[in-house]
Amino acid sequence: MAYRLVWYPTKGRTSGRERRVAVSKNGPLTVGRDQTNAIVVNESAVSRVHARIEIADDRVVVSDEGSHNGTFLDGKTIKRSVWRPGQKLTVGGHTIELEKFTPRLDGDYRPLEDRAAVARMLLAICACLTLLDFIFTAGQFWYISSYGYSPTFRLLLALNTLLFVCVYLGAVVAFAMWQYRATDNLRSFGLRDLEFSPVAAIIWWFVPVANLLQPMRAVSELWLASNPLATDKRLRRQHAPGPVVWWWVTWLTGSLAIPVLALVIFIVVAINPLALAQTFFLALIVILVLSSKVILMLSMLLGVKIVNRITRLQDERTGVQPQAFETRVMQ
């Protein structure tokens, strides 16, 4: 049996505004306005470090950390008290409940953080290299139009492109390994009505035509099924999350833009070899090249967001480790 906290605005509790975090014996949780707290309540009435929650002698103990407006347990001001399941702690305009739970793990759950860290790092590096690629490419076009051909710009662009390809392939492998483990974890949550198995979620990336849609659907199911409130019945009624849709649209657009650009250049040159000297075609090529790089960079950053979100949801669902969340006051 384990303990976890459920907190929400006191004025209205809804499933969309609830947050959960496990209470661990590895260390205390702090509540307060400062961003270093495990539970961040961004309200002026809450002190920077307002309260501390920890497990002592197999009991949950809550302590007030000298807050200005006090900490209340079932409506009574406390300094230090044993916190029993069902009791409500009030901090500012938010209520925190303590509940016992048994993580629903029907199989072997494996934490994602190790693989998520590698995937995040490589995707972030890819985004930075894409930005450098954008700068080098824009600089090269500007230099050519002003001073003529520059071998230096071309060499820098080639080196950056080579480095990008190597890191990009590493990011693809790291993301696939993370996705496989995350999808495999879904079985340990007791979910059975799933469309994608761990192997199928990866294979669909390599199936022509189907890979234009199926990988996005697999990641969408992974996102929705990782939610602590997810059940087989709820999964059938939910749509793809917005960040996943935008990630997929930007990835497809950025990835297809370069081949389309190459095809446009080939057709134009085949029809009229002098066409490249015309201002219109040169401007079209510049716009397509630079747009594809910006779109690819956005897709990388959205990929980082997806990895972070799903990893956090699975840890929150299982109570493997405390997670830091921020609670913002709704205006």
Side-chain angles (χ1 to χ4, degrees):
M1 186 68 68
Y3 294 99
R4 67 182 175 191
L5 307 178
V6 183
W7 73 96
Y8 49 88
T10 303
K11 291 183 179 179
R13 179 178 184 177
T14 60
S15 60
R17 303 177 70 183
E18 288 182 355
R19 294 293 184 269
R20 289 175 168 79
V21 64
V23 183
S24 172
K25 293 182 179 180
N26 297 329
L29 296 177
T30 55
V31 184
R33 194 176 68 251
D34 193 87
Q35 297 295 319
T36 59
N37 292 289
I39 301 176
V40 180
V41 182
N42 194 12
E43 295 180 20
S44 58
V46 177
S47 301
R48 292 175 62 86
V49 181
H50 197 101
R52 177 185 297 267
I53 303 164
E54 58 191 332
I55 294 181
D57 298 327
D58 294 325
R59 296 184 301 176
V60 178
V61 177
V62 57
S63 307
D64 183 85
E65 293 294 291
S67 65
H68 293 299
N69 295 310
T71 302
F72 301 87
L73 186 63
D74 279 349
K76 298 179 180 179
T77 305
I78 62 162
K79 292 299 181 181
R80 180 179 174 86
S81 175
V82 174
W83 190 2
R84 296 178 176 81
Q87 291 184 310
K88 296 181 178 180
L89 187 75
T90 303
V91 175
H94 283 73
T95 297
I96 308 175
E97 293 186 15
L98 177 68
E99 60 182 29
K100 285 186 176 182
F101 81 107
T102 301
R104 294 184 295 171
L105 302 178
D106 297 339
D108 295 326
Y109 174 82
R110 293 178 293 175
L112 294 174
E113 185 53 40
D114 53 347
R115 297 191 180 189
V118 176
R120 281 195 303 261
M121 178 185 67
L122 292 178
L123 286 170
I125 293 175
C126 279
C128 293
L129 292 176
T130 304
L131 178 61
L132 286 176
D133 201 22
F134 176 91
I135 295 172
F136 289 150
T137 302
Q140 184 182 33
F141 280 122
W142 170 80
Y143 195 92
I144 289 174
S145 63
S146 302
Y147 305 101
Y149 173 76
S150 172
T152 302
F153 266 118
R154 189 167 186 174
L155 177 61
L156 290 174
L157 185 61
L159 291 175
N160 187 75
T161 301
L162 178 61
L163 181 59
F164 171 80
V165 170
C166 295
V167 177
Y168 181 79
L169 291 176
V172 169
V173 173
F175 185 88
M177 294 176 64
W178 168 85
Q179 184 182 3
Y180 180 92
R181 175 173 289 184
T183 306
D184 190 47
N185 282 342
L186 298 181
R187 295 179 300 176
S188 66
F189 300 152
L191 299 173
R192 294 294 177 262
D193 192 14
L194 298 172
E195 182 177 354
F196 298 95
S197 67
V199 174
I202 305 303
I203 289 179
W204 280 121
W205 285 91
F206 305 98
V207 180
V209 181
N211 60 6
L212 296 177
L213 180 62
Q214 290 297 85
M216 185 204 74
R217 297 182 66 240
V219 175
S220 295
E221 182 180 75
L222 176 58
W223 177 302
L224 296 172
S226 297
N227 192 297
L229 302 177
T231 62
D232 286 325
K233 186 177 181 180
R234 285 193 177 192
L235 287 178
R236 291 192 294 269
R237 299 198 307 260
Q238 292 181 304
H239 303 287
V244 176
V245 174
W246 281 110
W247 161 71
W248 190 245
V249 169
T250 54
W251 187 85
L252 280 182
T253 305
S255 299
L256 292 177
I258 295 176
V260 170
L261 170 64
L263 180 61
V264 170
I265 295 175
F266 176 80
I267 293 174
V268 170
V269 173
I271 295 175
N272 182 7
L274 300 178
L276 286 177
Q278 299 178 15
T279 304
F280 171 77
F281 289 104
L282 181 59
L284 178 62
I285 292 171
V286 171
I287 291 172
L288 287 174
V289 169
L290 297 182
S291 297
S292 68
K293 297 183 186 305
V294 171
I295 293 170
L296 270 176
M297 183 174 63
L298 290 175
S299 72
M300 301 297 174
L301 296 177
L302 286 169
V304 172
K305 177 181 177 64
I306 288 171
V307 170
N308 281 340
R309 175 66 174 173
I310 293 176
T311 301
R312 191 193 78 174
L313 285 172
Q314 290 203 0
D315 284 346
E316 181 184 353
R317 177 162 189 154
T318 59
V320 169
Q321 58 183 4
Q323 296 292 312
F325 299 98
E326 179 175 354
T327 303
R328 298 187 181 274
V329 181
M330 304 298 292
Q331 301 295 332

